[in-house]
Amino acid sequence: MSIVIHVEQLTKSFIRNDREILVLHNVNLEIESGSFVVIAGPSGCGKTTLLNIVAGLLAPGSGMVYYKGTPISGPRLEMGYLTQKDTLMPWRTVERNVEMPLEIRGVPAAERRRRAAEFIRLVGLEGFEKLYPHELSGGMLRRAGLARMLVTMPETLLMDEPFAALDAQLRLELQNELLSLWSRQRSSVLFVTHDLEEAIILGDRVVILGTGGQVIADEPVLLPRPRNAAHIRFRPEFISLHRRLWDALMESRQQVQRQEVRL
């Protein structure tokens, strides 16, 4: 498969209390077209910073990030981004929120409504189109955000811990929903989580990051698809992979803790 995202010698630091904090240091990563790659690691290893740079929302300190061979210098229409926090517009209904990316692109009103209705149905929100964000549960907010990201049918999906704030049962439901939607579109996905079970359930490949965004482990997930999020965790292959990735995650956590002590 061709490479859709190429991260080359990426470095990024921030200034905190007049001190430079190195978040990413010479990070290298490649994402193949059509693959579902999950990045996992403890808080402080640079996962979200890396995703924001890939999304074009942050500029690298040094190094480069390429999308299909072209340097990323800002947000790209080919990429959809679902953040940790809900970003629905509170003055717009579900329907109008989902339509918004199409409206920005100048899609005619009738076509906007048709496509918004299609994706609202796909994420299980049919019948709730006229509700406002404050009238929705947490799971419904996530579904609406997912529909808004998918409505433009982006080539690549960037997702930053989108289900982290949900209870375990609802998380399983939305993991299955995402797997079903991805199997239809086969977009390239770069998904960030701190949950190893979620990483293995969803991914074709799991990358564990350590201090400075360095790759501690990079493992293929050879479990068969389609997958059921509630059942696949009991397979022996799942348990074996989870054990290996857990060891890598513990190594990463120790690295981050040592760095925090030095700071």
Side-chain angles (χ1 to χ4, degrees):
M1 288 188 288
S2 60
I3 302 301
V4 64
I5 295 170
H6 175 58
V7 179
E8 184 178 283
Q9 295 292 299
L10 178 64
T11 296
K12 182 67 177 180
S13 60
F14 297 100
I15 302 299
R16 184 189 303 160
N17 298 326
D18 296 325
R19 294 187 61 185
E20 183 179 26
I21 307 298
L22 187 63
V23 179
L24 300 173
H25 180 62
N26 291 340
V27 177
N28 295 284
L29 189 65
E30 289 186 340
I31 308 300
E32 293 182 331
S33 178
S35 65
F36 199 129
V37 177
V38 182
I39 294 179
S43 298
C45 70
K47 302 186 302 295
T48 296
T49 299
L50 174 60
L51 204 65
N52 283 335
I53 292 173
V54 172
L57 302 177
L58 279 178
S62 64
M64 296 292 291
V65 181
Y66 300 90
Y67 187 81
K68 292 186 173 180
T70 302
I72 294 174
S73 58
R76 298 179 63 102
L77 295 179
E78 303 99 321
M79 293 195 283
Y81 193 6
L82 188 59
T83 62
Q84 295 180 39
K85 297 181 179 179
D86 295 307
T87 56
L88 299 178
M89 301 298 141
W91 58 87
R92 284 181 173 241
T93 62
V94 168
E95 179 182 56
R96 295 283 289 129
N97 263 291
V98 175
E99 284 183 20
M100 189 172 68
L102 301 173
E103 187 177 335
I104 291 169
R105 287 163 171 77
V107 176
E111 177 65 7
R112 291 202 308 264
R113 285 192 293 271
R114 185 192 68 77
R115 287 171 60 178
E118 176 187 353
F119 281 90
I120 287 169
R121 178 182 56 78
L122 283 174
V123 301
L125 283 180
E126 195 170 21
F128 300 96
E129 297 91 338
K130 304 302 181 184
L131 296 186
Y132 289 87
H134 73 273
E135 299 175 295
L136 304 178
S137 66
M140 294 167 77
L141 286 168
R142 292 282 79 185
R143 289 176 186 272
L146 190 57
R148 186 177 67 178
M149 178 181 67
L150 293 172
V151 74
T152 59
M153 293 182 284
E155 296 175 350
T156 299
L157 309 179
L158 307 176
M159 307 181 77
D160 187 9
E161 301 197 48
F163 310 141
L166 305 178
D167 64 64
Q169 182 178 345
L170 186 53
R171 181 183 293 190
L172 285 174
E173 289 180 17
L174 287 181
Q175 286 168 353
N176 278 330
E177 195 77 48
L178 176 59
L179 287 171
S180 176
L181 290 166
W182 176 73
S183 69
R184 290 190 184 99
Q185 287 190 228
R186 287 290 172 167
S187 302
S188 308
V189 179
L190 188 57
F191 187 105
V192 163
T193 184
H194 63 271
D195 186 322
L196 275 188
E197 285 199 358
E198 181 170 69
I200 300 169
I201 286 167
L202 296 176
D204 294 320
R205 174 180 161 209
V206 177
V207 179
I208 305 291
L209 297 187
T211 304
Q214 296 302 301
V215 175
I216 300 296
D218 189 341
E219 292 257 9
V221 181
L222 303 178
L223 294 162
R225 295 188 186 273
R227 298 175 188 165
N228 183 297
H231 299 152
I232 201 163
R233 67 185 64 197
F234 301 110
R235 294 178 65 105
E237 311 97 295
F238 184 101
I239 295 168
S240 176
L241 179 57
H242 189 282
R243 186 179 296 115
R244 294 198 304 275
L245 291 173
W246 178 262
D247 291 342
L249 184 61
M250 289 304 98
E251 179 184 345
S252 172
R253 190 180 301 279
Q254 289 168 8
Q255 286 185 3
V256 171
Q257 288 172 345
R258 287 195 294 269
Q259 183 187 49
E260 288 173 348
V261 169
R262 289 195 296 270
L263 295 176

